[in-house]
Amino acid sequence: MKFSVFQVSRKGGREKNEDRMGYCYTRESGLFVLADGMGGHPEGEVAAQLALQTISALYQKEARPVVKDVTGFLSSSLLAAHHQIIRYASEKGMLDTPRTTLVAAILQGDGATWVHCGDSRLYVVRDGELLTRTRDHSYLEQQNAGVIKLERLNRNILFTCLGSPSKPVFDITGPVVLQQGDKLLLCSDGLWGTLTDNEIVRHLSGNSVSDAVPDMVEHALRNGGEHCDNVTVLAMEWETPDAFESTRGVSTDSIMDGVFASTIQAGGIDLPVEDLDDAAIERSIAEINEAIRRSAAKKA
């Protein structure tokens, strides 16, 4: 498996950067993940960090060297990350929970499968054209898709995220078969909020990700001005030919079985991997579902 990858995160005009991103890989599989801690709630950066740590820890346990059930893994690991955020808030005695969006993709074999919750996006660009992108879990995107009609409600409001009292709503897409030179881009709303889809595609087309991403981020920061949101981007190019590989090109062919590489750091948050076995995940999901059931029963 070969790919070129580049990642960057800029604070913009905010007091702190609540975005987190990173990637992990084995000999035959790769995980790319990005989270955007939500403002208006406490410790958004903690929620984003917990989401990355939880999913990467579970991936490290599961990818031996591939994830057998990718769709099942993405679903269960997202819910486990949600539960870790809820547990963190409970242990800290917080009145409000930290919250974050999330987008994560697994590449293995010849395909990519991804999950997203909220408005952090994934773009797939092929031959200079936008092949597909995720649709935000916002009222605006739902209206554009013809699902609902809105009048006065703030259409940019998200109706789901990780860390909220209700069970997260998420979408899983794939597997999408990748072709030579396909580019996948994961980003926070700091990027797509100031650049159009066409501009993002144009930046990626005809340039290596190591050249395209920094230029794209600089354009987003300039467009966003002094109050620009955090801008975070993680992009990769699939099966890049040797003639076009950047110095950041990654080949997993030399990795031994059982070896795991990661750019995701602990970030000062204690998250024991042993707390995340299959039984713990099932308990987490069962607890979340039971809490939702009790809440629904009270409302009824």
Side-chain angles (χ1 to χ4, degrees), residues 204-226:
L204 285 175
S205 301
N207 297 305
S208 67
V209 291
S210 60
D211 290 332
V213 171
D215 187 48
M216 190 186 317
V217 170
E218 287 300 325
H219 274 80
L221 290 169
R222 286 197 296 270
N223 290 350
E226 60 179 337

Side-chain angles (χ1 to χ4, degrees), residues 45-47 52 84 97 102 107 153 156 186 207 218 259 261 280:
E45 73 281 4
V46 172
L52 259 67
Q84 289 296 324
T97 55
L102 179 81
L107 280 62
L153 186 66
N156 291 316
L186 288 69
N207 297 305
E218 287 300 325
V259 175

